[in-house]
């Protein structure tokens, strides 16, 4: 397994995918941190009273989508370029490939989260303090939010690999992932939260404190559910990939 | 070494392989021949555990590929020349394959040297020519110093020099006691390399014999050109020789001697513009065996 993990890391390091994801992420995070700070009313109460500790980190929250994308592309890009044949020739037990990719994509997700958080803080800390409202770097809330982002990105990276195993077509898998989780699931939650709060996005959100979910699950239940989602997606991805002919 | 026994596979309503059986022994280069779409690639992919057969078994080194521990170290395979990530450098592709196959990284530069790709190893594969991709694929197959080498259309995209180089390489591998199986849809491509050929057509077994036997099986013929083709054809038919229309209005008389044809024409005052003995073309034999008419 160590060799497989090392091989998956090397695959990521030898293409420019992660570089591009990282560069775009830096741009998007920089914009979404700068916008609220630049437009906040300096003279009113709003600026001073804003909860910047959570605003800054939620600007970095877009990293979850990039982590999901990295996870989905891990397998689908191999199908697209045909390198999957090399991969399965080296490791005919394909569930091991899915597992290795899942773990490495979770780590890639953590890396993207760290990058996003670092960019957000690098912009917000000096800017806010120059405007007289320094971030409370000693506050537990800020770092709890950053920690939550790391967990969420690891989750989405891991989940994406399973999805890519189920839906091999790269475009279909990417479109499905980026429409279903961020768009459809909140709609389902709005229609019927009894269903919605058990969906993957809400489960992860509940794990992080449930800011975006009405009536979020308690943390232990949310943890169990998110782990179950990863296990189910990996199992389904491995099952489908093992059965599918590489023709 | 390689054994295919009663393998069948269909994709939807298309039968790709039908009850196919053959064996490949070590120390030989075996050509795996058939027209495009005959089921060669499917058979090779079944052998390599990439495609599941509907029926039958395919084993390499005594076990199904999926059950071999560290198979990539014992079986080297080339599937399609273009199966690379275009943004990855050639050398990095081999490093990835080596790492996931638990092959020491020192082998990477060795096989690059073997396939004469060292100078381009640090370029991205997207900029490679087809021939360079073939060499890179071959390098990947050789990484594990394999006992069995399975190559799907390895000659595609190689220039004449590359073909010769490939031939020498494969002969060398076989002489070291390895089993080499190479597929092709062009008989002439493998005729000089292979000791034996397995021929399939439309998913079915056609023949398994030595190259000499296949070549000997092709009767020679005579190519003759005359302004009065219809009349010569009648004369030939009357003498028991069948003539078929060849290229550019020439007639091709199978199984005939040039002298016989020339004498016949002279007797009846038919003017000949050309009279050439043709050795049995490999492609003719091939087409004959696979039941296609040219």
């Amino acid at each position: 397994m160590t060799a497989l993990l090392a091989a998956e890391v090397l695959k990521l390091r030898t293409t420019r995918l992660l570089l591009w994801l990282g560069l775009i992420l830096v741009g998007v995070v920089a914009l979404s941190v700068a916008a609220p700070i630049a437009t906040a009313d300096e003279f009113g109460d709003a600026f001073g009273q804003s909860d910047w500790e959570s605003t800054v980190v939620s600007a970095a929250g877009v990293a979850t989508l990039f982590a999901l994308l990295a996870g989905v592309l891990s397998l689908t890009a191999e199908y697209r370029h045909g390198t999957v044949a090399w991969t399965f020739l080296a490791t005919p037990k394909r569930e091991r490939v899915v597992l290795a990719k899942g773990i490495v994509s979770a780590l890639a997700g953590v890396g993207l989260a760290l990058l996003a958080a670092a960019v957000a803080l690098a912009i917000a800390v000096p800017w806010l303090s120059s405007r007289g409202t320094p971030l409370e770097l000693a506050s537990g809330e800020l770092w709890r939010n950053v920690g939550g982002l790391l967990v969420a990105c690891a989750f989405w990276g891991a989940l994406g690999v399973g999805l890519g195993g189920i839906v091999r077509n790269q475009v279909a898998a990417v479109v499905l992932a980026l429409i279903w989780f961020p768009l459809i699931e909140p709609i389902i939650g709005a229609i019927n939260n009894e269903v919605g709060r058990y969906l993957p996005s809400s489960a992860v959100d509940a794990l992080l404190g449930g800011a975006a979910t009405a009536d979020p699950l308690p943390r232990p239940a949310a943890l169990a559910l998110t782990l179950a989602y990863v296990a189910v997606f990996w199992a389904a991805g491995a099952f489908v990939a093992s059965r599918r002919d590489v023709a | 070494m390689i054994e295919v026994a009663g393998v069948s596979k269909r994709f939807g309503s298309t039968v790709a392989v039908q009850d196919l059986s053959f064996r490949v022994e070590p120390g030989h280069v075996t050509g795996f021949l058939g027209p495009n779409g005959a089921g060669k690639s499917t058979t090779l992919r079944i052998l390599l555990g990439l495609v599941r057969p509907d029926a039958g078994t395919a084993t390499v080194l005594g076990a199904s590929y999926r059950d071999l521990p560290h198979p990539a170290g014992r079986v080297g395979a080339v599937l399609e020349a273009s199966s690379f990530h275009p943004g990855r450098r050639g050398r990095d592709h081999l490093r990835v394959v080596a790492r996931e196959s638990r092959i020491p990284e020192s082998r990477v530069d060795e096989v690059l040297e073997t396939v004469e790709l060292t100078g381009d190893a640090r370029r991205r594969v997207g900029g490679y020519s087809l021939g360079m991709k073939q060499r890179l694929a071959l390098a990947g197959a050789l990484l594990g110093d394999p006992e069995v080498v399975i190559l799907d259309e390895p000659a595609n995209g190689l220039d004449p020099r590359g073909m010769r180089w490939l031939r020498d390489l494969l002969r060398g591998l076989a002489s070291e006691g390895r089993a080499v199986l190479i597929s092709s849809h062009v008989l002439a491509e493998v005729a000089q390399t292979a000791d034996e050929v397995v021929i399939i057509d439309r998913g079915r077994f056609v023949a398994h014999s030595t190259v000499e036997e296949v070549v000997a099986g092709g009767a020679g013929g005579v190519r003759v050109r005359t302004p009065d083709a219809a009349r010569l054809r009648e004369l030939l038919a009357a003498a028991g020789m069948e003539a078929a229309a060849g290229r550019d209005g020439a007639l091709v008389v199978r199984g005939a001697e040039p002298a016989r044809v020339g004498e016949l024409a002279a007797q009846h005052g038919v003017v000949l513009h050309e009279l050439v003995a043709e050795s049995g073309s490999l492609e003719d034999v091939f087409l004959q065996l696979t039941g296609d008419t040219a």
Side-chain angles (χ1 to χ4, degrees):
Chain A
M1 202 65 202
T2 328
L4 275 190
L5 292 173
E8 289 302 328
V9 171
L10 187 61
K11 281 180 195 174
L12 276 179
R13 282 177 41 211
T14 51
T15 66
R16 285 169 291 191
L17 172 72
L18 220 45
L19 178 70
W20 282 114
L21 283 179
L23 282 176
I24 298 169
L25 178 63
V26 166
V28 173
V29 170
L31 279 177
S32 38
V33 171
I37 301 178
T39 57
D41 181 7
E42 194 173 354
F43 306 105
D45 286 346
F47 190 83
Q49 286 175 354
S50 284
D51 181 4
W52 288 109
E53 280 72 26
S54 68
T55 305
V56 167
V57 178
S58 52
V62 70
T64 54
L65 291 182
F66 286 74
L68 177 61
L69 208 55
V72 168
L73 292 176
S74 176
L75 247 178
T76 57
E78 290 223 25
Y79 275 104
R80 181 171 159 224
H81 296 299
T83 52
V84 74
W86 291 99
T87 300
F88 290 161
L89 283 178
T91 314
K93 300 198 165 49
R94 300 180 192 172
E95 63 278 0
R96 295 168 58 83
V97 174
V98 172
L99 184 62
K101 283 185 177 293
I103 293 170
V104 169
S105 295
L107 293 176
V110 171
L112 289 167
L114 284 172
L115 178 67
V119 169
L121 291 174
I123 292 172
V125 169
W127 196 348
L128 286 173
S129 92
S130 79
R131 299 189 65 172
T133 330
L135 275 183
E136 280 192 48
L137 289 177
S139 90
E141 190 203 348
L142 179 73
W143 299 111
R144 253 198 313 281
N145 289 338
V146 170
L149 182 65
L150 302 189
V151 172
C153 286
F155 169 79
W156 289 115
L159 195 82
V161 171
L163 182 67
I166 300 164
V167 183
R168 148 180 71 172
N169 182 288
Q170 184 168 301
V171 175
V174 167
V175 169
L176 181 68
L178 294 187
I179 287 182
W180 179 265
F181 297 113
L183 296 177
I184 308 281
E185 285 196 354
I187 295 175
I188 296 175
I191 296 169
N192 184 346
N193 197 44
E194 260 322 291
V195 177
R197 69 196 199 119
Y198 291 102
L199 293 174
S201 321
S202 306
V204 184
D205 184 55
L207 190 62
L208 311 183
T213 310
D215 190 19
L217 293 169
R219 270 217 168 90
L223 176 65
L225 188 58
T226 41
L227 290 177
Y229 269 123
V230 170
V232 166
F233 271 76
W234 281 2
F239 179 81
V240 174
S242 296
R243 248 135 240 280
R244 186 162 43 212
D245 289 336
V246 181
Chain B
M1 207 41 105
I2 294 176
E3 182 155 18
V4 173
V7 164
S8 296
K9 177 70 183 182
R10 52 169 62 234
F11 294 108
S13 61
T14 313
V15 176
V17 181
Q18 180 75 48
D19 196 22
L20 182 66
S21 303
F22 66 88
R23 288 171 63 92
V24 174
E25 299 298 337
H28 296 281
V29 176
T30 304
F32 188 37
L33 291 164
N36 284 323
K40 301 185 298 292
S41 290
T42 302
T43 305
L44 297 185
R45 282 169 185 266
I46 288 171
L47 261 174
L48 294 166
L50 294 174
V51 169
R52 276 172 195 269
D54 297 328
T57 55
T59 57
V60 188
L61 296 164
S64 96
Y65 187 91
R66 285 195 188 209
D67 295 331
L68 287 173
H70 306 322
R74 305 184 64 196
V75 181
V78 169
L79 291 165
E80 283 162 48
S82 54
S83 313
F84 303 103
H85 192 297
R88 191 172 280 139
R89 297 170 205 280
R91 190 169 177 280
D92 286 338
H93 168 79
L94 295 177
R95 287 173 67 212
V96 166
V97 174
R99 197 163 289 188
E100 62 193 350
S101 308
R102 294 163 197 81
I103 294 165
E105 198 160 321
S106 58
R107 282 286 295 159
V108 167
D109 290 321
E110 289 174 29
V111 293
L112 279 168
E113 201 68 48
T114 307
V115 303
E116 299 170 12
L117 208 56
T118 307
D120 294 297
R122 285 166 203 276
R123 285 174 52 196
R124 296 188 196 277
V125 179
Y128 278 19
S129 69
L130 186 55
M132 288 161 73
K133 286 182 187 170
Q134 281 289 26
R135 285 166 187 268
L136 182 60
L138 203 56
L142 297 177
L143 264 180
D145 200 10
E147 298 155 62
V148 175
V149 180
I150 297 175
L151 311 173
D152 198 0
E153 301 272 359
N156 268 0
L158 290 185
D159 55 20
R161 200 180 73 86
M163 298 271 286
R164 191 202 173 95
W165 165 85
L166 177 68
R167 189 156 63 231
D168 293 344
L169 179 76
L170 297 179
R171 297 282 349 148
L173 290 172
S175 71
E176 290 163 11
R178 303 169 211 262
V180 181
L181 180 63
I182 52 171
S183 81
S184 176
H185 63 283
V186 185
L187 178 55
E189 230 168 54
V190 298
Q192 289 172 281
T193 313
D195 310 290
E196 297 182 11
V197 287
V198 172
I199 301 177
I200 67 168
D201 184 35
R202 298 183 191 103
R204 290 172 185 275
F205 178 84
V206 173
H208 183 176
S209 60
T210 64
V211 170
E212 287 80 13
E213 279 167 356
V214 173
V215 173
V222 173
R223 188 173 75 234
V224 59
R225 201 182 294 276
T226 164
D228 200 1
R231 174 148 161 74
L232 182 62
R233 222 167 158 163
E234 276 170 32
L235 293 169
L236 285 166
M241 289 179 280
E242 196 164 332
R247 265 181 300 154
D248 307 331
L251 291 177
V252 176
V253 193
R254 276 194 208 287
E257 292 292 319
R260 272 289 272 130
V261 177
E263 283 162 13
L264 193 69
Q267 274 169 25
H268 296 87
V270 175
V271 175
L272 294 189
H273 291 168
E274 189 182 358
L275 181 66
V276 184
E278 285 197 326
S279 57
S281 129
L282 292 172
E283 301 321 310
D284 286 346
V285 183
F286 187 48
L287 293 173
Q288 229 167 292
L289 282 170
T290 56
D292 268 333
T293 45

